[in-house]
Each structure stands twice: as C-alpha cells, then as structure tokens.
Amino acid sequence: MSLTPSASASLQPAKMKKDESFLGKLGGTLVRKKRAKEVSDLHEEGKNAINAPLLPSGTEVHPEDTLLEENAERIMLDPTSRENLKFKDLVKVLIDWINSELEEERIIVKDLEEDCYDGQVLQKLFEKLSGRKLNVAEVTQSEIGQKQKLQTVLEAVNNTLRPHGWTVEWSVDSIHSKNLVAIVYLLVALAMHFQAPIRLPEHVSVQVVVVKKREGILQTAVVTKELTSTTEMMMGRFERDAFDTLLDHAPDKLNVVKTSLITFVNKHLNKLNLEVTELESQFADGVYLILLMGLLEDYFVPLYNFFLTPESFEQKVHNVAFAFELMQDGGLKKPKARPEDVVNLNLKSTLRVLYNLFTNYKNSD
C-alpha cells in the first residue's frame, strides 16, 4: 500500500516532463513558423517597396496591371484625381456635349469609360462633327471587331487633328482598355477642333500612375497630365471671337458695348419694373435671364420652373441652365458659355450670352 503513492508520485513528474517537452517543441515550431512568416512578409514588403517606390497611397494595383510584357506599360488614373471637382466637372461637360450632339441618334452616354471604349459612340460623334461617313461595322461585339472599328475611327480622327498641331495622347489599346485620361484627351481635342458650343473648365490637371516592366521588375512613377489650359490658349488654334479682341485690344470700346446691352435689356425688363446697371453681377443668378427670355418670346415662365430667390451656387446654375434651354427653344444656338461661368461673374461669358440675345431680338418691341 505504501508503494502506491510513491509510484504515483514518481510517474506524474515523468508525464509532466513529457507534456512540457511536447508543448515546448510545439511552441518552438509555432515560433519558427511565425518568424518565417514575418521574414516572408518583410521580404514581400521590401519587394513592393522596390517595385512601387512612388505609388501614391490609396492607389490599388490590380493583378491584371502587373501582368505586363517586358518593356510594356500601363497608365492608371490616381483615385484622388478622379474625385477632383474640376476633373469631374470636365467629365460632366463632355458627357452633356456628346449627348447633345447625338440626341438624334438616340444615344445616351452616362459613363465615358464604359460607353466610349468600343468605338461606337466615338464613331457616331466624329461622323456628326466632321460630316463624314466612316466605313465601319455598325455593331461589333468581339474584342477584335471593336479594336478594328477603333483603329478606323482613330485613324480618321488623327488625320483630321494632326495637321492642326494636336498631339495624339490616345491609342486603340488605351481607349479599349477604358483609360479615362486618354478618352478625355481625345474628347477635349475634338471639342476644341470642331469649336463645340461649350466652355470647358480651365486648368484641369490629373495625376496618373505609370507602371512599367523592366527586367522583370515593375517600376512606377507618378506623372501630372494637363487636360485643359486656359480657354484662350485652347481656342487660340481658331479664330477668336469679338469679345476676346475687344477685351484684349480695345477696352475703351468695351463700355460702349456694355452700355448698348444694358439699354437693350432694360428696354424689356422695365416692363416688369426691373432695371439693370451691372451686367456681370445682375445676371449671375439667372433670374433676369429667365424673365428676359419670357419677355422677348412673349410668354410667362411659371415660377415653379426656377428659383426666384436663389441662394446656393447650384440653384443659380440651375437657373442659368434653364435660361439657356429657353433660348434654344426659341431657335437660338446653345450658348458657348457655361452656366457656371455666368454664375462665377465671368464678364466675357455674360457678354456672349447677352450679345446673342441682342443680335436676335434687337428689333423686338
């Protein structure tokens, strides 16, 4: 009986030692695996740091972006630039312009990347602007067919633009891969060359991430791309209008023009006991423009169609845009000025709008 406790006591430590030895080995294995993973993570982090030394924070390099052939490159728009308000404004202006041009074709563009990459919209737009019919298939579903159409369309575009000094910042591959920067470059060039009745936002620049493969290693760089400069520089390729010349070379005559326009608008606005003394400021909220169109066309504009006392920038833009719609309904061409420019007290934009009304209604009572 006395041997039992003794045997039990002697067996228990042996079992504990065995368990401790097993846990020790297990713990050692776990530690080694953890250290190996840390080394692997560190190695991966170091490799990424070498391969992408200039990659901006927030930029994602997708797997397809890394599957590049040797010496090939891919360009991606930096997410911060994509959310830039001036860039988003530029994209909106271009979308509205395309939809206006292709209204008769019943084509509605909502997203430049998704709607322009296959060449269908670009074909219709170029045909409308140039008055030329391109020899391409109307509908192409396959990638090869889409690229063949793009090739034909871009050749026609490049042959039109190159002689006038435009630098080609787009290609079949960049457009078909839905490169938004390349698509915007192309549309801006077309809008400027064919003197589209729109006002593009000035000084719009974006950052792009350029990924290149050199000796099996991905190299990245951030490059700034200027999409638009000043309106004067962009339109400098063409004949500048009378107001450009007037403001630059004959500022003394500007007051004469302003006086004539003030006399014209007051002749009609006085019927509502309204009077204008400052053109650039009093038309900036769009209310006087709307009322003036009603007087010139002899109809009453329902007050629920616009903001009679606009407070926000968006409400003022709504009013001016609505006035532009009334002008087009009256048979006038769409003003080249943007509603935002009028709201921002841009004198030339306001003068262009009012002078357009003056030339069409100067003999109206």
Side-chain angles (χ1 to χ4, degrees):
M1 295 292 294
S2 61
L3 291 176
T4 304
S6 170
S8 175
S10 61
L11 288 172
Q12 194 168 358
K15 184 179 179 182
M16 289 178 61
K17 286 182 180 179
K18 182 178 180 182
D19 290 343
E20 287 174 359
S21 176
F22 172 74
L23 291 174
K25 289 179 180 179
L26 178 62
T29 302
L30 292 174
V31 169
R32 283 194 296 274
K33 287 184 176 180
K34 182 179 178 182
R35 287 176 178 171
K37 186 177 185 303
E38 289 176 350
V39 170
S40 176
D41 290 345
L42 185 61
H43 175 71
E44 187 67 24
E45 184 179 348
K47 185 174 70 173
N48 290 339
I50 294 172
N51 288 350
L54 296 176
L55 201 62
S57 59
T59 301
E60 295 183 4
V61 179
H62 300 287
E64 63 268 21
D65 298 323
T66 63
L67 299 176
L68 298 177
E69 298 293 333
E70 184 66 22
N71 295 321
E73 72 175 36
R74 186 182 295 273
I75 298 176
M76 299 168 288
L77 179 62
D78 178 33
T80 303
S81 292
R82 185 181 287 271
E83 295 303 315
N84 180 277
L85 292 180
K86 292 180 71 173
F87 177 69
K88 294 174 76 171
D89 187 22
L90 174 60
V91 170
K92 182 180 183 304
V93 170
L94 292 172
I95 289 176
D96 290 344
W97 168 58
I98 295 173
N99 288 335
S100 176
E101 291 290 344
L102 301 182
E103 185 176 7
E104 295 179 1
E105 298 281 347
R106 300 182 182 276
I107 292 176
I108 299 177
V109 171
K110 296 181 179 180
D111 185 288
L112 291 183
E113 293 160 292
E114 295 298 329
D115 296 333
C116 293
Y117 81 96
D118 62 358
Q120 180 76 8
V121 169
L122 294 177
Q123 172 210 339
K124 295 296 184 182
L125 180 63
F126 181 75
E127 289 179 341
K128 172 71 184 302
L129 296 173
S130 66
R132 294 170 50 193
K133 182 71 175 175
L134 299 180
N135 184 23
V136 293
E138 282 300 315
V139 179
T140 53
Q141 297 294 336
S142 68
E143 180 178 339
I144 294 176
Q146 291 170 352
K147 287 190 173 183
Q148 287 175 343
K149 171 181 275 193
L150 269 175
Q151 183 70 37
T152 302
V153 173
L154 294 185
E155 281 181 0
V157 169
N158 296 345
N159 290 337
T160 301
L161 298 181
R162 271 202 183 105
H164 296 275
W166 288 101
T167 301
V168 176
E169 297 278 357
W170 52 85
S171 65
V172 171
D173 287 336
S174 63
I175 299 294
H176 195 266
S177 64
K178 304 179 184 180
N179 183 322
L180 183 57
V181 175
I183 294 171
V184 169
Y185 262 128
L186 173 58
L187 293 174
V188 167
L190 287 173
M192 291 295 95
H193 179 79
F194 289 102
Q195 303 185 50
I198 57 177
R199 305 294 290 182
L200 298 176
E202 299 182 344
H203 298 298
V204 180
S205 295
V206 295
Q207 286 191 324
V208 297
V209 180
V210 182
V211 182
K212 299 180 181 180
K213 196 166 190 178
R214 297 289 185 269
E215 298 180 357
I217 296 177
L218 293 180
Q219 300 176 351
T220 65
V222 178
V223 179
T224 300
K225 295 282 189 178
E226 183 185 59
L227 300 176
T228 67
S229 55
T230 64
T231 301
E232 285 74 13
M233 290 181 66
M234 290 187 290
M235 295 299 293
R237 303 169 188 270
F238 318 109
E239 182 180 355
R240 303 171 78 220
D241 68 17
F243 290 108
D244 288 312
T245 304
L246 193 67
L247 287 171
D248 291 345
H249 305 293
D252 54 317
K253 296 182 181 179
L254 179 62
N255 287 330
V256 177
V257 174
K258 290 173 69 173
T259 300
S260 298
L261 292 177
I262 288 175
T263 301
F264 163 71
V265 298
N266 280 335
K267 172 185 173 182
H268 299 280
L269 289 176
N270 285 165
K271 299 172 186 176
L272 299 177
N273 293 321
L274 301 174
E275 186 171 0
V276 170
T277 56
E278 290 291 334
L279 292 179
E280 52 264 63
S281 60
Q282 288 183 267
F283 284 96
D285 63 6
V287 175
Y288 278 14
L289 273 180
I290 295 170
L291 297 177
L292 181 59
M293 278 308 303
L295 291 166
L296 293 172
E297 286 290 326
D298 195 25
Y299 57 70
F300 174 75
V301 182
L303 298 182
Y304 59 77
N305 280 335
F306 65 100
F307 298 95
L308 190 59
T309 56
E311 297 179 356
S312 68
F313 180 82
E314 289 74 19
Q315 291 177 347
K316 294 176 183 179
V317 169
H318 168 87
N319 281 357
V320 177
F322 178 58
F324 285 5
E325 291 178 14
L326 297 179
M327 294 174 195
Q328 291 176 271
D329 290 343
L332 279 68
K333 291 184 178 180
K334 184 178 180 179
K336 287 189 175 183
R338 297 188 310 139
E340 291 85 355
D341 294 332
V342 175
V343 175
N344 284 325
L345 308 180
N346 184 294
L347 178 59
K348 276 194 288 188
S349 295
T350 305
L351 288 177
R352 285 186 177 97
V353 173
L354 294 177
Y355 187 74
N356 192 29
L357 295 178
F358 174 76
T359 55
N360 283 275
Y361 296 101
K362 59 185 176 183
N363 296 322
S364 299
D365 293 329

